[in-house]
Amino acid sequence: MKLYNFTELLQVAKQRDFKALGSFNLHCLEMLPAYFKAAEKTNSPLMIQISTGTAKYLGHKLLVDAIRSLAESKNVPTCLHLDHCSDLAAIQIAIEAGFSSVMYDGSHLDIEENIANTRRVIDMARPLNVSVEAELGAIGGSEDGKAVAQEDISFTTVEDAKRFVDATGVDMLAISIGTVHGLYTGKAQIQHQRLAEITEATKIPLVLHGGTGVSDEDMRLAVRSGIDKVNVGTEMNVQWVNQCKQTFEKGKVNDSVRNFLVPANDAVTDVLVEKIQLFR
Ligand SMILES: [Zn+2]
């Protein structure tokens, strides 16, 4: 089975009565079966996203081969997406390796430069039917070692979003509307009015980053008013580590390591199922 790009996968999701796609960060290969189990349990298509750190750790080929093979054997329509990347050469490598979707993050640049680089990525991606996400405005918090301080958060304006989408033809756009990367203790406040206006002005799928820190009710509202992709990264990591801490503590050194990892994966499946259900 081929991997789906975002646009194709969103169509499958809508046919199956989902309002949006969750895009879930994979933190290590051991976690991977949990993602397919969650997709099977919910009859949902699956979008897995890979940070540049994870791509470097596991290698692109292993990721593409493992995910393609599971997608085929489990019969789950799947998209493999490169998360936040501001290095054009690294994006090219992921596209050539078989990723079906990529994110170019030029949100730290001025808008003209962001537009120019996004167009370059689109030129690389289109011939291979790979979808492209870009980002406009600065989302707070930290992800994959890069941090944006509270005072540097800038919300995406309607005018900039329209100009950016018209100038690039990008497939989906991540916007800064109040969520924070990696937030786990507090709750984010989504700016729903801003979201509705950007949706109206751009008419393309919008992406919400920092999905872990969003309340269930806020999430349901956001997917009703234009969010088509919700990034969730931290939550699976937290569940996995939490469960491992408990089971490793109780285990013996000659227990099979599987005894520790299976409960951790079950915890990840549970949280994925819960998130996916929110998008119905
Ligand atoms: Zn992000």
Side-chain angles (χ1 to χ4, degrees), residues 145-176:
K146 284 190 201 117
V148 173
Q150 183 75 29
E151 63 270 22
D152 294 327
I153 293 174
S154 68
F155 298 121
T156 310
T157 67
V158 180
E159 297 70 34
D160 280 355
K162 176 151 180 46
R163 186 161 147 236
F164 188 92
V165 168
D166 288 348
T168 57
V170 75
D171 298 298
M172 66 276 210
L173 183 67
I175 53 173
S176 172

PDB file of all heavy atoms in Angstrom, residues 145-176:
ATOM      1  N   GLY A 145      13.753  20.652  21.087  1.00  0.00           N
ATOM      2  CA  GLY A 145      14.896  21.458  21.506  1.00  0.00           C
ATOM      3  C   GLY A 145      14.828  22.935  21.151  1.00  0.00           C
ATOM      4  O   GLY A 145      15.671  23.716  21.572  1.00  0.00           O
ATOM      5  N   LYS A 146      13.815  23.340  20.358  1.00  0.00           N
ATOM      6  CA  LYS A 146      13.706  24.760  20.004  1.00  0.00           C
ATOM      7  C   LYS A 146      12.592  25.407  20.815  1.00  0.00           C
ATOM      8  O   LYS A 146      11.486  24.906  20.873  1.00  0.00           O
ATOM      9  CB  LYS A 146      13.408  24.914  18.513  1.00  0.00           C
ATOM     10  CG  LYS A 146      14.640  24.665  17.665  1.00  0.00           C
ATOM     11  CD  LYS A 146      14.379  25.054  16.213  1.00  0.00           C
ATOM     12  CE  LYS A 146      15.353  24.359  15.270  1.00  0.00           C
ATOM     13  NZ  LYS A 146      14.691  23.460  14.344  1.00  0.00           N
ATOM     14  N   ALA A 147      12.905  26.554  21.443  1.00  0.00           N
ATOM     15  CA  ALA A 147      11.923  27.183  22.324  1.00  0.00           C
ATOM     16  C   ALA A 147      11.525  28.570  21.823  1.00  0.00           C
ATOM     17  O   ALA A 147      12.327  29.286  21.241  1.00  0.00           O
ATOM     18  CB  ALA A 147      12.498  27.287  23.724  1.00  0.00           C
ATOM     19  N   VAL A 148      10.252  28.904  22.013  1.00  0.00           N
ATOM     20  CA  VAL A 148       9.773  30.267  21.749  1.00  0.00           C
ATOM     21  C   VAL A 148       9.248  30.795  23.080  1.00  0.00           C
ATOM     22  O   VAL A 148       8.326  30.226  23.662  1.00  0.00           O
ATOM     23  CB  VAL A 148       8.647  30.271  20.681  1.00  0.00           C
ATOM     24  CG1 VAL A 148       8.046  31.669  20.540  1.00  0.00           C
ATOM     25  CG2 VAL A 148       9.178  29.786  19.337  1.00  0.00           C
ATOM     26  N   ALA A 149       9.873  31.875  23.575  1.00  0.00           N
ATOM     27  CA  ALA A 149       9.497  32.424  24.879  1.00  0.00           C
ATOM     28  C   ALA A 149       8.145  33.127  24.790  1.00  0.00           C
ATOM     29  O   ALA A 149       7.718  33.538  23.705  1.00  0.00           O
ATOM     30  CB  ALA A 149      10.567  33.401  25.346  1.00  0.00           C
ATOM     31  N   GLN A 150       7.510  33.236  25.946  1.00  0.00           N
ATOM     32  CA  GLN A 150       6.198  33.875  26.067  1.00  0.00           C
ATOM     33  C   GLN A 150       6.136  35.217  25.321  1.00  0.00           C
ATOM     34  O   GLN A 150       5.222  35.483  24.551  1.00  0.00           O
ATOM     35  CB  GLN A 150       5.895  34.083  27.561  1.00  0.00           C
ATOM     36  CG  GLN A 150       4.532  34.685  27.868  1.00  0.00           C
ATOM     37  CD  GLN A 150       3.411  33.677  27.701  1.00  0.00           C
ATOM     38  OE1 GLN A 150       3.601  32.484  27.872  1.00  0.00           O
ATOM     39  NE2 GLN A 150       2.228  34.167  27.336  1.00  0.00           N
ATOM     40  N   GLU A 151       7.194  36.045  25.523  1.00  0.00           N
ATOM     41  CA  GLU A 151       7.153  37.396  24.934  1.00  0.00           C
ATOM     42  C   GLU A 151       7.382  37.375  23.417  1.00  0.00           C
ATOM     43  O   GLU A 151       7.157  38.372  22.743  1.00  0.00           O
ATOM     44  CB  GLU A 151       8.162  38.330  25.643  1.00  0.00           C
ATOM     45  CG  GLU A 151       9.629  37.936  25.502  1.00  0.00           C
ATOM     46  CD  GLU A 151      10.100  37.002  26.623  1.00  0.00           C
ATOM     47  OE1 GLU A 151       9.258  36.322  27.256  1.00  0.00           O
ATOM     48  OE2 GLU A 151      11.321  36.944  26.869  1.00  0.00           O
ATOM     49  N   ASP A 152       7.814  36.220  22.888  1.00  0.00           N
ATOM     50  CA  ASP A 152       8.046  36.141  21.439  1.00  0.00           C
ATOM     51  C   ASP A 152       6.889  35.482  20.675  1.00  0.00           C
ATOM     52  O   ASP A 152       6.950  35.341  19.450  1.00  0.00           O
ATOM     53  CB  ASP A 152       9.342  35.370  21.143  1.00  0.00           C
ATOM     54  CG  ASP A 152      10.566  36.118  21.651  1.00  0.00           C
ATOM     55  OD1 ASP A 152      10.529  37.366  21.632  1.00  0.00           O
ATOM     56  OD2 ASP A 152      11.525  35.463  22.087  1.00  0.00           O
ATOM     57  N   ILE A 153       5.855  35.082  21.393  1.00  0.00           N
ATOM     58  CA  ILE A 153       4.699  34.494  20.714  1.00  0.00           C
ATOM     59  C   ILE A 153       4.054  35.579  19.866  1.00  0.00           C
ATOM     60  O   ILE A 153       3.860  36.703  20.329  1.00  0.00           O
ATOM     61  CB  ILE A 153       3.670  33.976  21.750  1.00  0.00           C
ATOM     62  CG1 ILE A 153       4.250  32.789  22.530  1.00  0.00           C
ATOM     63  CG2 ILE A 153       2.353  33.580  21.068  1.00  0.00           C
ATOM     64  CD1 ILE A 153       3.373  32.300  23.675  1.00  0.00           C
ATOM     65  N   SER A 154       3.767  35.265  18.589  1.00  0.00           N
ATOM     66  CA  SER A 154       2.988  36.241  17.828  1.00  0.00           C
ATOM     67  C   SER A 154       1.848  35.511  17.129  1.00  0.00           C
ATOM     68  O   SER A 154       2.058  34.480  16.484  1.00  0.00           O
ATOM     69  CB  SER A 154       3.864  37.013  16.846  1.00  0.00           C
ATOM     70  OG  SER A 154       4.316  36.170  15.840  1.00  0.00           O
ATOM     71  N   PHE A 155       0.643  36.015  17.304  1.00  0.00           N
ATOM     72  CA  PHE A 155      -0.520  35.365  16.714  1.00  0.00           C
ATOM     73  C   PHE A 155      -0.572  35.637  15.217  1.00  0.00           C
ATOM     74  O   PHE A 155      -0.119  36.672  14.740  1.00  0.00           O
ATOM     75  CB  PHE A 155      -1.795  35.849  17.413  1.00  0.00           C
ATOM     76  CG  PHE A 155      -1.818  35.504  18.869  1.00  0.00           C
ATOM     77  CD1 PHE A 155      -1.911  36.487  19.836  1.00  0.00           C
ATOM     78  CD2 PHE A 155      -1.702  34.185  19.280  1.00  0.00           C
ATOM     79  CE1 PHE A 155      -1.900  36.178  21.193  1.00  0.00           C
ATOM     80  CE2 PHE A 155      -1.687  33.851  20.631  1.00  0.00           C
ATOM     81  CZ  PHE A 155      -1.788  34.850  21.583  1.00  0.00           C
ATOM     82  N   THR A 156      -1.113  34.684  14.477  1.00  0.00           N
ATOM     83  CA  THR A 156      -1.236  34.817  13.028  1.00  0.00           C
ATOM     84  C   THR A 156      -2.356  35.800  12.711  1.00  0.00           C
ATOM     85  O   THR A 156      -3.447  35.686  13.256  1.00  0.00           O
ATOM     86  CB  THR A 156      -1.575  33.441  12.410  1.00  0.00           C
ATOM     87  OG1 THR A 156      -0.659  32.471  12.926  1.00  0.00           O
ATOM     88  CG2 THR A 156      -1.495  33.475  10.898  1.00  0.00           C
ATOM     89  N   THR A 157      -2.086  36.752  11.828  1.00  0.00           N
ATOM     90  CA  THR A 157      -3.156  37.685  11.453  1.00  0.00           C
ATOM     91  C   THR A 157      -3.889  37.158  10.213  1.00  0.00           C
ATOM     92  O   THR A 157      -3.329  36.399   9.409  1.00  0.00           O
ATOM     93  CB  THR A 157      -2.614  39.093  11.133  1.00  0.00           C
ATOM     94  OG1 THR A 157      -1.828  39.011   9.935  1.00  0.00           O
ATOM     95  CG2 THR A 157      -1.763  39.648  12.275  1.00  0.00           C
ATOM     96  N   VAL A 158      -5.126  37.595  10.066  1.00  0.00           N
ATOM     97  CA  VAL A 158      -5.948  37.170   8.927  1.00  0.00           C
ATOM     98  C   VAL A 158      -5.316  37.640   7.612  1.00  0.00           C
ATOM     99  O   VAL A 158      -5.223  36.877   6.647  1.00  0.00           O
ATOM    100  CB  VAL A 158      -7.383  37.745   9.058  1.00  0.00           C
ATOM    101  CG1 VAL A 158      -8.247  37.320   7.882  1.00  0.00           C
ATOM    102  CG2 VAL A 158      -8.010  37.310  10.378  1.00  0.00           C
ATOM    103  N   GLU A 159      -4.827  38.876   7.598  1.00  0.00           N
ATOM    104  CA  GLU A 159      -4.250  39.456   6.373  1.00  0.00           C
ATOM    105  C   GLU A 159      -3.015  38.668   5.935  1.00  0.00           C
ATOM    106  O   GLU A 159      -2.873  38.311   4.765  1.00  0.00           O
ATOM    107  CB  GLU A 159      -3.844  40.926   6.596  1.00  0.00           C
ATOM    108  CG  GLU A 159      -4.980  41.881   6.937  1.00  0.00           C
ATOM    109  CD  GLU A 159      -5.561  41.660   8.336  1.00  0.00           C
ATOM    110  OE1 GLU A 159      -4.796  41.291   9.265  1.00  0.00           O
ATOM    111  OE2 GLU A 159      -6.789  41.819   8.497  1.00  0.00           O
ATOM    112  N   ASP A 160      -2.119  38.400   6.903  1.00  0.00           N
ATOM    113  CA  ASP A 160      -0.904  37.649   6.572  1.00  0.00           C
ATOM    114  C   ASP A 160      -1.244  36.239   6.080  1.00  0.00           C
ATOM    115  O   ASP A 160      -0.643  35.736   5.133  1.00  0.00           O
ATOM    116  CB  ASP A 160       0.000  37.519   7.816  1.00  0.00           C
ATOM    117  CG  ASP A 160       0.819  38.775   8.061  1.00  0.00           C
ATOM    118  OD1 ASP A 160       0.758  39.693   7.224  1.00  0.00           O
ATOM    119  OD2 ASP A 160       1.502  38.831   9.107  1.00  0.00           O
ATOM    120  N   ALA A 161      -2.208  35.611   6.735  1.00  0.00           N
ATOM    121  CA  ALA A 161      -2.561  34.238   6.365  1.00  0.00           C
ATOM    122  C   ALA A 161      -3.065  34.200   4.925  1.00  0.00           C
ATOM    123  O   ALA A 161      -2.665  33.341   4.130  1.00  0.00           O
ATOM    124  CB  ALA A 161      -3.618  33.688   7.319  1.00  0.00           C
ATOM    125  N   LYS A 162      -3.912  35.155   4.571  1.00  0.00           N
ATOM    126  CA  LYS A 162      -4.462  35.176   3.208  1.00  0.00           C
ATOM    127  C   LYS A 162      -3.355  35.415   2.191  1.00  0.00           C
ATOM    128  O   LYS A 162      -3.253  34.728   1.175  1.00  0.00           O
ATOM    129  CB  LYS A 162      -5.549  36.252   3.102  1.00  0.00           C
ATOM    130  CG  LYS A 162      -6.082  36.382   1.696  1.00  0.00           C
ATOM    131  CD  LYS A 162      -7.506  36.856   1.604  1.00  0.00           C
ATOM    132  CE  LYS A 162      -7.985  36.964   0.163  1.00  0.00           C
ATOM    133  NZ  LYS A 162      -7.671  35.817  -0.694  1.00  0.00           N
ATOM    134  N   ARG A 163      -2.500  36.394   2.509  1.00  0.00           N
ATOM    135  CA  ARG A 163      -1.408  36.727   1.600  1.00  0.00           C
ATOM    136  C   ARG A 163      -0.476  35.520   1.417  1.00  0.00           C
ATOM    137  O   ARG A 163      -0.064  35.182   0.300  1.00  0.00           O
ATOM    138  CB  ARG A 163      -0.630  37.900   2.210  1.00  0.00           C
ATOM    139  CG  ARG A 163       0.429  38.422   1.318  1.00  0.00           C
ATOM    140  CD  ARG A 163       0.842  39.821   1.723  1.00  0.00           C
ATOM    141  NE  ARG A 163       2.250  39.989   1.447  1.00  0.00           N
ATOM    142  CZ  ARG A 163       3.153  40.361   2.360  1.00  0.00           C
ATOM    143  NH1 ARG A 163       2.783  40.624   3.580  1.00  0.00           N
ATOM    144  NH2 ARG A 163       4.418  40.488   2.025  1.00  0.00           N
ATOM    145  N   PHE A 164      -0.183  34.838   2.510  1.00  0.00           N
ATOM    146  CA  PHE A 164       0.734  33.693   2.475  1.00  0.00           C
ATOM    147  C   PHE A 164       0.163  32.552   1.634  1.00  0.00           C
ATOM    148  O   PHE A 164       0.851  31.969   0.798  1.00  0.00           O
ATOM    149  CB  PHE A 164       1.003  33.212   3.909  1.00  0.00           C
ATOM    150  CG  PHE A 164       2.069  32.173   4.007  1.00  0.00           C
ATOM    151  CD1 PHE A 164       3.387  32.541   4.222  1.00  0.00           C
ATOM    152  CD2 PHE A 164       1.775  30.813   3.881  1.00  0.00           C
ATOM    153  CE1 PHE A 164       4.401  31.587   4.302  1.00  0.00           C
ATOM    154  CE2 PHE A 164       2.771  29.856   3.956  1.00  0.00           C
ATOM    155  CZ  PHE A 164       4.090  30.246   4.166  1.00  0.00           C
ATOM    156  N   VAL A 165      -1.098  32.254   1.857  1.00  0.00           N
ATOM    157  CA  VAL A 165      -1.730  31.133   1.145  1.00  0.00           C
ATOM    158  C   VAL A 165      -1.856  31.457  -0.343  1.00  0.00           C
ATOM    159  O   VAL A 165      -1.562  30.621  -1.206  1.00  0.00           O
ATOM    160  CB  VAL A 165      -3.099  30.800   1.786  1.00  0.00           C
ATOM    161  CG1 VAL A 165      -3.897  29.848   0.913  1.00  0.00           C
ATOM    162  CG2 VAL A 165      -2.881  30.209   3.177  1.00  0.00           C
ATOM    163  N   ASP A 166      -2.247  32.692  -0.666  1.00  0.00           N
ATOM    164  CA  ASP A 166      -2.361  33.086  -2.079  1.00  0.00           C
ATOM    165  C   ASP A 166      -1.003  33.017  -2.779  1.00  0.00           C
ATOM    166  O   ASP A 166      -0.909  32.600  -3.929  1.00  0.00           O
ATOM    167  CB  ASP A 166      -2.913  34.518  -2.190  1.00  0.00           C
ATOM    168  CG  ASP A 166      -4.402  34.577  -1.828  1.00  0.00           C
ATOM    169  OD1 ASP A 166      -5.026  33.493  -1.723  1.00  0.00           O
ATOM    170  OD2 ASP A 166      -4.929  35.697  -1.636  1.00  0.00           O
ATOM    171  N   ALA A 167       0.044  33.410  -2.072  1.00  0.00           N
ATOM    172  CA  ALA A 167       1.367  33.485  -2.692  1.00  0.00           C
ATOM    173  C   ALA A 167       2.049  32.123  -2.812  1.00  0.00           C
ATOM    174  O   ALA A 167       2.925  31.938  -3.655  1.00  0.00           O
ATOM    175  CB  ALA A 167       2.259  34.436  -1.902  1.00  0.00           C
ATOM    176  N   THR A 168       1.676  31.163  -1.970  1.00  0.00           N
ATOM    177  CA  THR A 168       2.398  29.881  -1.969  1.00  0.00           C
ATOM    178  C   THR A 168       1.599  28.715  -2.549  1.00  0.00           C
ATOM    179  O   THR A 168       2.170  27.780  -3.091  1.00  0.00           O
ATOM    180  CB  THR A 168       2.785  29.459  -0.529  1.00  0.00           C
ATOM    181  OG1 THR A 168       1.598  29.386   0.260  1.00  0.00           O
ATOM    182  CG2 THR A 168       3.770  30.439   0.094  1.00  0.00           C
ATOM    183  N   GLY A 169       0.274  28.716  -2.354  1.00  0.00           N
ATOM    184  CA  GLY A 169      -0.527  27.551  -2.727  1.00  0.00           C
ATOM    185  C   GLY A 169      -0.252  26.357  -1.825  1.00  0.00           C
ATOM    186  O   GLY A 169      -0.401  25.196  -2.231  1.00  0.00           O
ATOM    187  N   VAL A 170       0.152  26.632  -0.586  1.00  0.00           N
ATOM    188  CA  VAL A 170       0.498  25.564   0.349  1.00  0.00           C
ATOM    189  C   VAL A 170      -0.740  24.698   0.661  1.00  0.00           C
ATOM    190  O   VAL A 170      -1.880  25.174   0.550  1.00  0.00           O
ATOM    191  CB  VAL A 170       1.100  26.204   1.631  1.00  0.00           C
ATOM    192  CG1 VAL A 170       0.033  26.853   2.501  1.00  0.00           C
ATOM    193  CG2 VAL A 170       1.946  25.209   2.406  1.00  0.00           C
ATOM    194  N   ASP A 171      -0.528  23.422   1.020  1.00  0.00           N
ATOM    195  CA  ASP A 171      -1.664  22.507   1.244  1.00  0.00           C
ATOM    196  C   ASP A 171      -2.350  22.734   2.577  1.00  0.00           C
ATOM    197  O   ASP A 171      -3.557  22.582   2.696  1.00  0.00           O
ATOM    198  CB  ASP A 171      -1.177  21.049   1.174  1.00  0.00           C
ATOM    199  CG  ASP A 171      -0.616  20.721  -0.183  1.00  0.00           C
ATOM    200  OD1 ASP A 171      -1.378  20.792  -1.161  1.00  0.00           O
ATOM    201  OD2 ASP A 171       0.596  20.439  -0.271  1.00  0.00           O
ATOM    202  N   MET A 172      -1.563  23.036   3.592  1.00  0.00           N
ATOM    203  CA  MET A 172      -2.157  23.291   4.912  1.00  0.00           C
ATOM    204  C   MET A 172      -1.254  24.236   5.685  1.00  0.00           C
ATOM    205  O   MET A 172      -0.041  24.251   5.472  1.00  0.00           O
ATOM    206  CB  MET A 172      -2.441  21.990   5.671  1.00  0.00           C
ATOM    207  CG  MET A 172      -1.276  21.161   6.102  1.00  0.00           C
ATOM    208  SD  MET A 172      -0.649  20.051   4.815  1.00  0.00           S
ATOM    209  CE  MET A 172      -0.022  18.698   5.842  1.00  0.00           C
ATOM    210  N   LEU A 173      -1.875  25.014   6.570  1.00  0.00           N
ATOM    211  CA  LEU A 173      -1.133  26.077   7.253  1.00  0.00           C
ATOM    212  C   LEU A 173      -1.307  25.980   8.766  1.00  0.00           C
ATOM    213  O   LEU A 173      -2.432  25.955   9.276  1.00  0.00           O
ATOM    214  CB  LEU A 173      -1.636  27.441   6.766  1.00  0.00           C
ATOM    215  CG  LEU A 173      -0.916  28.665   7.340  1.00  0.00           C
ATOM    216  CD1 LEU A 173       0.537  28.726   6.853  1.00  0.00           C
ATOM    217  CD2 LEU A 173      -1.657  29.954   6.972  1.00  0.00           C
ATOM    218  N   ALA A 174      -0.170  25.912   9.461  1.00  0.00           N
ATOM    219  CA  ALA A 174      -0.189  25.948  10.925  1.00  0.00           C
ATOM    220  C   ALA A 174      -0.272  27.402  11.366  1.00  0.00           C
ATOM    221  O   ALA A 174       0.474  28.250  10.867  1.00  0.00           O
ATOM    222  CB  ALA A 174       1.082  25.309  11.484  1.00  0.00           C
ATOM    223  N   ILE A 175      -1.185  27.678  12.272  1.00  0.00           N
ATOM    224  CA  ILE A 175      -1.373  29.054  12.711  1.00  0.00           C
ATOM    225  C   ILE A 175      -1.196  29.154  14.222  1.00  0.00           C
ATOM    226  O   ILE A 175      -1.390  28.180  14.952  1.00  0.00           O
ATOM    227  CB  ILE A 175      -2.762  29.597  12.283  1.00  0.00           C
ATOM    228  CG1 ILE A 175      -3.882  28.649  12.734  1.00  0.00           C
ATOM    229  CG2 ILE A 175      -2.807  29.811  10.782  1.00  0.00           C
ATOM    230  CD1 ILE A 175      -5.276  29.193  12.491  1.00  0.00           C
ATOM    231  N   SER A 176      -0.853  30.355  14.650  1.00  0.00           N
ATOM    232  CA  SER A 176      -0.659  30.616  16.079  1.00  0.00           C
ATOM    233  C   SER A 176      -1.915  31.310  16.598  1.00  0.00           C
ATOM    234  O   SER A 176      -2.172  32.463  16.279  1.00  0.00           O
ATOM    235  CB  SER A 176       0.587  31.501  16.245  1.00  0.00           C
ATOM    236  OG  SER A 176       0.702  31.913  17.584  1.00  0.00           O
TER     237      SER A 176
END
